[in-house]
Amino acid sequence: MRLPDYHTHTARCGHAHGRPDEYVAAAKARGLTGIGIADHLPLLPEPDPELSMGVCDLSDYVADVQALKAEFPGYVLLGVEADYRPQTVSEVRSLLEGHPFDYVIGSVHHMGEWGFDDPRQLDEYGRRDIDDVWVEYFQLVGDAAESGLFTILGHLDVVKKFGYRPTRALTSELDHLVARVAAAGVLVEINTAGLHRPVKEAYPTLDILRRLCDAGVPITFGSDAHRPEEVGRDFGHAVELARSAGYAGFASLESRPGEGRAGIGSVPFEASPA
Ligand code: ZN
Ligand code: FE
Ligand code: ZN
Ligand code: FE
């Protein structure tokens, strides 16, 4: 697939497998045009060894990926997936500023203390009003977009992961979210991992992608691979989804060493079917 995969993890996070170089080799074997390693930034305020590397591991992670960037210039990018939690914004900002990340994926995995996408915390869905959960989630994603911390919003509707759907359309909430995302100038990924979760659907859903396309929000592609063999997984499907939503191409990231975050380019989909 002639696309880059910007969302991949490594064994450092405690719940994935493989070294960064194994992910790069997998991307090359699949014919991807690039790969970004975007392992989980240490979860704050309390790192959980099953969810992310510790703060003390971050420099080694950066050094490993930097070495791969030097070995495969223009092919490998140094990314990271950072949690958006309102109470940790300034700490996350300092952590990010201390390292030369090409891009940062911003993801909401928590509402307060509840890790709502963590299979260990599923019971909580039974105690909540599901529409309220979705509304609160959209609010947090909009806040994440406006925080200025992130290049790409990760798995935009991950709250659907376990199949808990809202009981009403949430049209006005969704319109508001898309407007906030567009105004903030962040990118949104098509994340194929959802196809392998109970919901069995990529993030975000086609309806949301159409709205994002209409609002002019550029997209990237991410497998959210937690094993090297998952790199670039289902990207053919993802391109079809993007085209159905009206997209004619995607955003590419170009490393600008010493100048902060990557530059953002625009690449048309190939004329031939993916
Ligand atoms: Zn993970
Ligand atoms: Fe995530
Ligand atoms: Zn993620
Ligand atoms: Fe991820």
Side-chain angles (χ1 to χ4, degrees), residues 125-143:
Y125 282 96
R127 291 191 278 271
R128 302 253 180 161
D129 177 288
I130 192 63
D131 293 345
D132 290 349
V133 167
W134 278 74
V135 169
E136 183 179 346
Y137 175 76
F138 281 170
Q139 183 65 41
L140 285 165
V141 175
D143 294 345

Side-chain angles (χ1 to χ4, degrees), residues 160-161 163 165 193-202 237:
K160 73 184 177 185
K161 175 174 177 176
R165 303 279 192 172
L195 291 161
H196 304 275
R197 304 291 179 258
V199 70
K200 292 199 160 35
E201 184 180 289
H237 171 84

Side-chain angles (χ1 to χ4, degrees), residues 37-73:
I37 309 293
D39 212 349
H40 298 278
L41 190 76
L43 182 64
L44 300 172
E46 293 285 323
D48 175 336
E50 291 182 34
L51 294 182
S52 73
M53 66 183 100
V55 175
C56 57
D57 303 318
L58 191 53
S59 296
D60 286 346
Y61 166 69
V62 168
D64 280 2
V65 180
Q66 293 277 66
L68 287 164
K69 278 181 67 172
E71 190 177 347
F72 303 102

Side-chain angles (χ1 to χ4, degrees), residues 7 9 40 81-83 105-109 117 154-155 158 189 191 224 226:
H7 194 151
H9 293 276
H40 298 278
E81 178 179 12
D83 286 76
I105 299 176
S107 297
V108 176
H109 299 113
D117 87 324
H155 42 64
V158 73
E189 65 171 7
N191 180 314
D224 217 339
H226 282 69

Side-chain angles (χ1 to χ4, degrees), residues 49-220:
E50 291 182 34
L51 294 182
S52 73
M53 66 183 100
V55 175
C56 57
D57 303 318
L58 191 53
S59 296
D60 286 346
Y61 166 69
V62 168
D64 280 2
V65 180
Q66 293 277 66
L68 287 164
K69 278 181 67 172
E71 190 177 347
F72 303 102
Y75 193 79
V76 177
L77 292 174
L78 171 61
V80 74
E81 178 179 12
D83 286 76
Y84 178 76
R85 310 181 81 175
Q87 72 274 29
T88 65
V89 164
S90 59
E91 285 170 274
V92 167
R93 180 169 283 118
S94 329
L95 263 192
L96 293 175
E97 281 172 354
H99 303 278
F101 295 115
D102 292 315
Y103 67 97
V104 180
I105 299 176
S107 297
V108 176
H109 299 113
H110 296 84
M111 296 179 199
E113 293 307 304
W114 180 31
F116 63 86
D117 87 324
D118 184 339
R120 298 171 298 180
Q121 300 183 45
L122 269 184
D123 286 358
E124 185 65 16
Y125 282 96
R127 291 191 278 271
R128 302 253 180 161
D129 177 288
I130 192 63
D131 293 345
D132 290 349
V133 167
W134 278 74
V135 169
E136 183 179 346
Y137 175 76
F138 281 170
Q139 183 65 41
L140 285 165
V141 175
D143 294 345
E146 289 169 1
S147 71
L149 292 173
F150 309 121
T151 318
I152 303 171
L153 294 175
H155 42 64
L156 194 82
D157 59 355
V158 73
V159 67
K160 73 184 177 185
K161 175 174 177 176
F162 299 109
Y164 295 95
R165 303 279 192 172
T167 66
R168 57 187 177 89
L170 305 181
T171 307
S172 63
E173 290 87 350
L174 195 50
D175 285 346
H176 183 51
L177 173 60
V178 169
R180 295 178 77 188
V181 169
V186 288
L187 312 177
V188 168
E189 65 171 7
I190 296 186
N191 180 314
T192 53
L195 291 161
H196 304 275
R197 304 291 179 258
V199 70
K200 292 199 160 35
E201 184 180 289
Y203 311 113
T205 198
L206 178 59
D207 170 57
I208 298 180
L209 264 184
R210 284 202 172 108
R211 291 162 191 266
L212 291 165
C213 183
D214 289 346
V217 177
I219 47 167
T220 60

